């Protein structure tokens, strides 16, 4: 979805490195989310933010941190990457209780 | 027990078949029920959403919700090869703070 962009689209990094995944949206939504997707496990919520001053942990926040720089920008950081953080990461935005709009995803490989 | 369970598949059907995809859930607070479609290497996209119990139809797709049984379904009529994707059910409560996805069912429609 061009309204939600993620950078980079692919990233290979080494164990112990710090990396940042970025998400930008032009939909004007207040709510933003970060998910990871692993085969067979579906989407797991890492962090979510309902406005610039509101940050909440999801079900799997350990090892991750986020920053909501503006209404349109929500970044996810891995302070010290480990191999089991290898996954597909999605950013999503929402303006309601029933719909979320997803970005194209970032494929991360931690060696 | 996971909050949302979904038949993992994979499911293979011939073109033109009727497909039934199902999810069960345990949290009676869920009021909004969604179906997302995810093509390979893409982010999920919203197909349909339903509030509370009942049916909703959109072209070849019909969503059903039975809150008394905590069971939701998505029916695809006259399935097409272009319907081949992973289908994720999702649900949320009235506050939109508890947004949960099922693990997804991979569907292949064979020409």
């Amino acid at each position: 979805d061009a309204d939600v962009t993620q950078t980079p689209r692919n990233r290979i990094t080494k164990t112990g490195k710090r990396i940042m995944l970025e998400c930008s949206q032009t939909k004007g939504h207040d709510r933003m989310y970060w998910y990871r997707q692993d085969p067979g496990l579906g989407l797991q919520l890492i962090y979510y933010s309902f406005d610039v001053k509101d940050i909440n942990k999801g079900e799997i926040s350990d090892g991750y941190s986020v920053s909501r720089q503006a209404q349109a920008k929500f970044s996810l950081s891995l302070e010290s990457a480990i191999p089991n953080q290898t996954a597909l990461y999605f950013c999503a935005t929402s303006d309601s209780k029933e719909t979320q709009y997803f970005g194209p995803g970032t494929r991360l490989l931690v060696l | 027990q996971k909050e949302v369970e979904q038949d993992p598949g994979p499911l293979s059907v011939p073109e033109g078949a009727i497909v039934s995809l199902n999810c069960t859930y345990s949290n009676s607070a869920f009021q909004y029920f969604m179906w997302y479609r995810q093509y390979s290497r893409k982010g999920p996209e919203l197909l349909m959403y339903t509030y509370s119990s009942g049916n909703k139809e959109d072209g070849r797709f019909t969503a059903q919700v039975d809150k008394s049984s905590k069971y939701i379904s998505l029916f695809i009529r006259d399935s097409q090869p272009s319907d081949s994707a992973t289908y994720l059910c999702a649900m949320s409560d009235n506050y939109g703070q508890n947004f949960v996805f099922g693990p997804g069912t991979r569907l292949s429609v064979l020409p």
Side-chain angles (χ1 to χ4, degrees):
Chain A
D1 191 328
D3 296 324
V4 183
T5 57
Q6 292 183 236
T7 56
R9 293 295 311 279
N10 295 280
R11 178 76 183 267
I12 300 174
T13 191
K14 295 182 178 179
T15 297
K17 294 290 188 181
R18 181 181 187 276
I19 67 164
M20 179 182 289
L21 309 182
E22 299 186 342
C23 176
S24 295
Q25 52 115 346
T26 58
K27 300 185 81 69
H29 293 166
D30 286 327
R31 301 181 179 195
M32 298 188 74
Y33 307 78
W34 274 105
Y35 292 91
R36 67 176 278 174
Q37 188 175 42
D38 299 276
L41 293 180
L43 289 159
Q44 296 175 279
L45 182 62
I46 306 172
Y47 271 95
Y48 63 100
S49 169
F50 280 4
D51 65 41
V52 175
K53 297 181 180 178
D54 176 71
I55 302 288
N56 303 282
K57 292 183 178 181
E59 57 186 310
I60 58 161
S61 59
D62 287 348
Y64 302 94
S65 62
V66 292
S67 173
R68 184 81 184 265
Q69 300 94 325
Q71 185 204 38
K73 295 184 182 297
F74 194 34
S75 299
L76 176 72
S77 294
L78 286 68
E79 296 300 326
S80 179
I82 56 177
N84 76 359
Q85 291 178 313
T86 292
L88 187 55
Y89 289 85
F90 286 104
C91 173
T93 74
S94 175
D95 64 348
S96 65
K97 295 182 278 281
E98 70 272 4
T99 57
Q100 292 192 5
Y101 299 88
F102 285 80
T106 293
R107 195 169 294 272
L108 175 66
L109 174 61
V110 182
L111 300 174
Chain B
Q1 182 189 8
K2 291 185 179 179
E3 224 171 353
V4 179
E5 305 213 21
Q6 186 174 1
D7 294 337
L11 183 61
S12 290
V13 301
E15 183 175 354
I18 297 174
V19 177
S20 172
L21 304 168
N22 309 294
C23 285
T24 58
Y25 64 95
S26 56
N27 189 345
S28 58
F30 290 139
Q31 296 288 339
Y32 295 88
F33 303 91
M34 289 72 71
W35 286 95
Y36 285 79
R37 178 176 60 197
Q38 185 177 18
Y39 291 114
S40 181
R41 297 183 175 274
K42 300 285 187 182
E45 57 177 337
L46 181 68
L47 265 181
M48 300 180 70
Y49 77 87
T50 309
Y51 175 70
S52 195
S53 286
N55 294 357
K56 187 172 184 178
E57 187 173 322
D58 184 3
R60 296 184 295 111
F61 299 88
T62 299
Q64 286 187 353
V65 175
D66 182 350
K67 288 189 67 183
S68 63
S69 301
K70 296 188 177 66
Y71 190 87
I72 71 171
S73 300
L74 177 71
F75 296 96
I76 307 174
R77 291 185 301 279
D78 188 25
S79 56
Q80 302 295 309
S82 59
D83 295 328
S84 298
T86 296
Y87 289 81
L88 303 154
C89 63
M91 41 203 79
S92 69
D93 59 21
N94 262 332
Y95 302 99
Q97 292 179 338
N98 189 13
F99 202 111
V100 181
F101 284 86
T105 299
R106 190 155 51 115
L107 171 67
S108 295
V109 180
L110 307 174

